[in-house]
Structure formats: C-alpha cells, structure tokens
C-alpha cells in the first residue's frame, strides 16, 4: 500500500487562552510547533511602545511582565460576539479596531504553521465553540462570521468550521480499539463545550458522521470566568471592592469588575474611569482599599494582577493554598487564596456546567449508564471540583484524560484532511 500524502489543509484551534495548528501527515503527530519548541501559542498580543511592534504568545507575556510599556491584549476570542468587537483600542498611539488585532494574531498562527510545514495553506477548518454567545443566535452568527472573515482576509481561500468538542472526539477516536459512547468535556479558557458521540475504529473513515453525533451543547463559562470569581471574592476586597460609602451604599463596582475580567482590564486605565474613581474617594468611609486601587492603576498592574490570580487558580488544582505578594502595592500586603474560597467562588458556575451536561443527556434521550467514557480536555478540565461534579453525574463511566491543550487542534487536523484531502 502506498503511503498517503500529507493533507492539503490545516486545522486551527483559536482558543481564548491558547491556540494550536494541526496538520495531518502519515505517521506523525499533527500539532505544529508555534513558539520555541511549544505546540501552543498563547492567544496574547502585546504592542510594545518602545520597540513599536506587536509581539505574540509567551514572548508577549514576558515583555509585558518585564515592564515594557505597551498594551497587552488577552482573551481576544471573548470579544467575538460582544459589543466591544465593534470598538477600537489605542495601540502605538493610534486607534486600531479589534478585528485588526484578531487578524494580526490569526496571521501569526498561519505564518508560523506554514514555516514549520514548509508549505502554504489555502484551506482551513476552524474550531468553534458550540456557542460563541449564549441564547443569542444573531450575535452567535456574527461572531462566527467575524472569525471567518478575518481568516479569509489573511489569505485562506476556503474556510469552514467544526465544533471544538467534535474535533476532540475525533482525536480520541484515533486511539480507541472498540466502539464506545463517549461524553466529550472540553473546558477551556472561555467556554465549556460538550458532545455525546459514538466512536469506533472502523467508523473513522466515514465522511459523514452526523449519525454518530448524538448531541452537542455548550455554555459560555471557562477559566477566565473562574479567574474573575476568584479575583472578586479572594482579592478585590483588598482593593476596595464592597467598601461602604458615607451614604451607607456600597461603592460602585464597575472598576473592580473590569479589572477582574481579562478583556476589559485596559478600560480601567481610561482617564474618564479614573476621574470617576477619584471623585468617589472622599465619599468612602475607609479609603484604604481604594488607595491601593489607585496605586495598582498608576502602576498599570491590572494584567499582572490577573496573571497572579490565574497562577493561583492553577496552583489550587494541586495545592490547598497560594499566596499572592502585593509588596509592589503596599509593604507587607498579601492575599492567601485557598481551595475552599475558590470552590465557593465558582460553585454557581459549576452548577450551570453540570446542568448543561444533564440537559445534554436528556436531549440525546440517554441515561447516565449508557455512557461508557468521559473524555476530558481543555486546561480548566483539571479543576478537581469540576471533575468530581461531572463524575457524580456519570458514576459508571470510565474517565480518560486527553492532551489538555492539544486534542482540539489534533482533531481539526483529521477533519481538515477528510474535508479537503
Ligand atoms: N492545572 C490547571 N488547573 C486549573 N485551570 C487550568 C490549569 N491549567 C490551565 N488552566 C486554565 O485553562 C484555561 C486554558 O485552557 P485551554 O487552553 O484549553 O483554553 P482555550 O482552548 O484557549 O479556550 P476556549 O476553548 O474556551 O476558547 C485557562 O483559563 C487556564 O488558566
Ligand atoms: Mg479550547
């Protein structure tokens, strides 16, 4: 039998936190190296003012943390389908539409993949969450259209989509030996996506797998939301969140909410936002917290803070507590994040995730004992409370862990080969 040739097209998993590009070749691992020796490129752009150029991925994060002046953009995917997408941000002294920043990032993925593969790609299968936007089909369609338009603009002639949890299913299917009914659980940075699928080694070659996709669902909850809740409950109170005004009303929360949300951090630095805070200062009973907030804003330390919180969240997967040192804000100031605080903070979100899984089973007309395997992927699927929650719903199923950051990209590579040859 002659050796099949490499696929024409690639698959791109543009993630809220991390992106990958998969390219199918015989007997090779599909993910392409995108930065250093890594197969993921963090979905981050940093506009470095001193060097007057954008940088991407880990390099962007490290230049930002080294203290270069500039503008950091994370969680770009969260802007798809939001009103902010139509707005602009100021980078390197001029206004730049978010769509163009999205284009810059996608183009970087394409170029790096082409360099690694030593060929160009004209066709692509883009991964997409089951819903970019919950309960708003119009906004959801706009989000997908925006992503497809951006992909065409950087040179892809043919662009098609596959649901992320279906792509993950195909990755898992490449490794199984007998037929299984599988619940795919993909909890990433921005969304939780699920699919119920029938997988089998002998069904891999079938082009139309519609009959094997028993149900899909998703909800706009992911790691960035966990970061936000941990921030609001574990850290923001130190910075005045919940302070009382002299009128006995609570202090307005918009600055804290913006600061706790990755894609709105830059809004906190806007002069109007700062003026509003300053005018509030003397109406607050105890200004200790708001004064720390001023210091944080003056240092442009919003992303630094969010990174500390995210790091704390990740550490809480393995450990009981994590300490954030706030000496740069105030000598001796620190915050201890603990697992119980984290779990309490995210419980309402976990409840919605569990409800989504239960609903998925109902919509497929299946009972929990009909499911053989739960396949976990996505960075946030590591969270113990989340796994336990899903495990209780499916007590009899076997648990399998995929490549947490690579399953979608690998599955999209398989799909791209099927679609484009
Ligand atoms: N060990 C861990 N414990 C808890 N959370 C983690 C861990 N490792 C990574 N994460 C979180 O996982 C998220 C990133 O996961 P992933 O790369 O799968 O997301 P994504 O594919 O970019 O997002 P999406 O698919 O939702 O668009 C981040 O929020 C990160 O903080
Ligand atoms: Mg993902």
């Amino acid at each position: 039998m002659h050796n099949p040739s490499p696929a024409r097209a690639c698959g791109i998993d543009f993630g809220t936190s991390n992106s990958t590009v998969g390219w199918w070749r015989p007997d090779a691992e599909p993910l392409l190296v995108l930065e250093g020796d890594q197969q993921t490129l963090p979905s981050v752009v940093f506009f470095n003012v001193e060097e007057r150029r954008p940088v991407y991925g880990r390099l962007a994060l490290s230049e930002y943390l080294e203290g270069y002046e500039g503008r950091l953009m994370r969680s770009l995917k969260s802007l798809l389908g939001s009103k902010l997408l139509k707005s602009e941000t100021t980078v390197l002294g001029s206004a730049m539409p978010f769509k163009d920043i999205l284009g810059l990032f996608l183009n970087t993925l394409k170029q790096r993949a082409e360099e690694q593969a030593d060929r160009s790609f004209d066709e692509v299968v883009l991964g997409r969450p089951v819903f970019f936007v919950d309960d708003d089909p119009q906004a959801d369609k706009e989000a997908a259209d925006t992503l497809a338009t951006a992909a065409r603009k950087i040179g892809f002639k043919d662009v098609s989509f596959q649901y992320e949890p279906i792509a993950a299913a195909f990755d898992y299917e490449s490794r199984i030996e007998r037929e299984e009914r599988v619940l795919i659980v993909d909890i990433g940075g921005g969304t939780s996506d699920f699919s119920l699928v029938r997988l089998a080694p002998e069904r891999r070659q079938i082009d139309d797998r519609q009959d094997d996709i028993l149900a899909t669902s998703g909800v706009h909850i992911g790691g960035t939301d966990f970061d936000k809740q941990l921030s609001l409950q574990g850290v923001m109170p130190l910075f005045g969140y919940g302070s009382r005004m002299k009128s006995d009303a609570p202090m307005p929360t918009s600055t804290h909410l913006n600061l706790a949300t990755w894609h709105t951090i830059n809004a906190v630095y806007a002069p109007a936002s700062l003026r509003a805070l300053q005018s509030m200062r003397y109406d607050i009973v105890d200004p200790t917290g708001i004064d720390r907030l001023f210091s944080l804003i003056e240092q442009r330390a919003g992303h630094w803070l969010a990174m500390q919180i995210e790091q704390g969240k990740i550490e809480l997967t393995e450990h009981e507590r994590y300490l954030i040192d706030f000496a740069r804000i105030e000598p001796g100031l620190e915050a201890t994040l603990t697992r119980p605080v984290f779990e309490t903070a995210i419980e309402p979100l976990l409840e919605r995730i569990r409800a989504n899984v239960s609903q998925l089973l109902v919509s497929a007309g299946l009972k929990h004992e009909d499911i053989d395997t739960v396949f976990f992927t996505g960075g946030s699927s590591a969270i113990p409370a989340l796994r336990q929650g899903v495990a209780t719903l499916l007590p009899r199923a076997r648990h399998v862990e995929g490549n947490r950051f690579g399953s979608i990209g690998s599955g999209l590579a398989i799909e791209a080969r099927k679609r484009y040859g």
Side-chain angles (χ1 to χ4, degrees):
M1 216 174 86
H2 80 118
N3 210 10
S5 45
R8 290 168 57 90
C10 65
I12 293 185
D13 173 20
F14 168 53
T16 310
S17 308
N18 295 292
S19 296
T20 59
V21 183
W23 176 43
W24 189 92
R25 287 147 290 162
D27 308 318
E29 226 270 296
L31 294 184
L32 293 167
V33 166
L34 299 177
E35 184 178 26
D37 57 0
Q38 308 276 336
Q39 296 167 330
T40 53
L41 183 68
S43 311
V44 186
V45 186
F46 180 58
F47 294 93
N48 182 322
V49 169
E50 286 163 52
E51 319 261 327
R52 302 205 59 80
R53 56 163 169 74
V55 289
Y56 306 92
R58 290 169 192 81
L59 181 63
L61 291 168
S62 73
E63 288 199 358
Y64 168 79
L65 287 175
E66 276 164 35
Y68 279 94
E69 216 180 298
R71 189 157 276 245
L72 189 74
M73 313 286 306
R74 265 196 85 171
S75 228
L76 286 171
K77 189 181 179 181
S78 306
L79 294 167
L80 288 172
S82 86
K83 288 181 200 70
L84 285 172
L85 187 79
K86 299 204 173 72
S87 61
E88 302 178 324
T89 189
T90 312
V91 290
L92 304 178
S94 44
M96 185 182 262
F98 283 116
K99 283 181 192 177
D100 292 0
I101 302 174
L102 177 69
L104 282 173
F105 186 77
L106 290 178
N107 194 39
T108 302
L109 286 175
K110 183 173 190 277
Q111 281 180 358
R112 292 190 185 186
E114 290 179 338
E115 203 173 297
Q116 278 292 314
D118 196 22
R119 54 171 294 155
S120 63
F121 294 114
D122 290 338
E123 297 99 358
V124 65
V125 179
L126 290 172
R128 57 155 295 166
V130 176
F131 299 110
F132 281 101
V133 187
D134 294 341
D135 310 317
D136 187 345
Q138 181 59 30
D140 190 73
K141 184 177 177 308
E142 275 176 32
D145 289 348
T146 303
L147 188 55
T149 305
R152 283 193 202 93
K153 214 169 160 182
I154 60 165
F156 284 116
K157 297 191 176 68
D158 196 318
V159 176
S160 59
F161 285 105
Q162 177 56 282
Y163 287 134
E164 289 160 10
I166 303 291
F170 294 151
D171 174 47
Y172 175 58
E173 190 178 45
S174 67
R175 280 180 275 138
I176 61 173
E177 278 160 19
R178 63 185 67 81
E179 181 168 318
E180 295 177 20
R181 266 207 194 116
V182 186
L183 168 67
I184 306 287
V185 175
D186 169 22
I187 320 281
T191 54
S192 295
D193 292 283
F194 310 97
S195 61
L196 265 175
V197 284
R198 180 167 58 144
L199 302 178
E202 61 277 10
R203 305 184 68 77
R204 282 176 206 146
Q205 308 308 329
I206 301 175
D207 279 337
D208 183 0
R209 298 294 298 274
Q210 223 42 52
D211 288 349
D212 292 335
I213 299 173
L214 310 174
T216 49
S217 73
V219 53
H220 206 128
I221 298 174
T224 52
D225 302 293
F226 303 148
D227 297 342
K228 177 175 183 170
Q229 293 310 318
L230 182 59
S231 175
L232 289 175
Q233 305 212 10
V235 174
M236 287 301 159
L238 288 175
F239 292 86
Y241 179 56
S243 292
R244 306 302 302 176
M245 312 281 284
K246 288 175 183 157
S247 66
D248 207 35
M251 169 187 173
T253 57
S254 64
T255 304
H256 298 106
L257 292 176
N258 282 337
L259 211 47
T261 309
W262 280 104
H263 62 276
T264 54
I265 293 172
N266 291 316
V268 172
Y269 309 140
S273 160
L274 192 57
R275 275 196 301 275
L277 266 185
Q278 279 158 345
S279 71
M280 225 177 270
R281 161 78 171 67
Y282 294 98
D283 292 327
I284 291 177
V285 179
D286 176 0
T288 314
I290 194 172
D291 286 344
R292 291 174 184 149
L293 189 57
F294 286 130
S295 165
L296 187 89
I297 292 171
E298 198 177 294
Q299 295 183 33
R300 298 284 187 269
H303 283 96
W304 170 84
L305 173 61
M307 284 179 210
Q308 298 295 313
I309 291 164
E310 181 181 16
Q311 188 56 36
K313 172 193 74 175
I314 291 171
E315 295 287 334
L316 291 177
T317 285
E318 302 285 336
H319 303 106
E320 282 298 318
R321 53 185 55 239
Y322 181 80
L323 193 127
I324 303 181
D325 184 348
F326 285 118
R328 65 182 284 180
I329 305 293
E330 184 184 300
L333 183 68
E334 44 192 43
T336 305
L337 305 177
T338 64
R339 201 185 274 188
V341 165
F342 176 55
E343 290 180 353
T344 308
I346 66 169
E347 176 47 31
L349 300 175
L350 296 186
E351 171 59 34
R352 287 174 54 204
I353 289 176
R354 291 193 300 268
N356 208 276
V357 172
S358 303
Q359 187 52 46
L360 181 72
L361 287 169
V362 172
S363 68
L366 294 174
K367 297 200 174 48
H368 77 80
E369 56 269 26
D370 299 324
I371 309 301
D372 304 303
T373 308
V374 184
F375 178 80
F376 287 101
T377 186
S380 302
S381 72
I383 296 173
L386 191 148
R387 281 183 183 235
Q388 279 149 23
V390 175
T392 346
L393 296 174
L394 297 155
R396 291 194 28 204
R398 195 165 68 96
H399 290 188
V400 176
E401 182 163 344
N403 171 347
R404 234 182 257 153
F405 302 99
S407 282
I408 318 287
S410 300
L412 290 171
I414 296 172
E415 184 74 355
R417 175 168 184 256
K418 267 195 190 167
R419 287 187 187 172
Y420 299 104

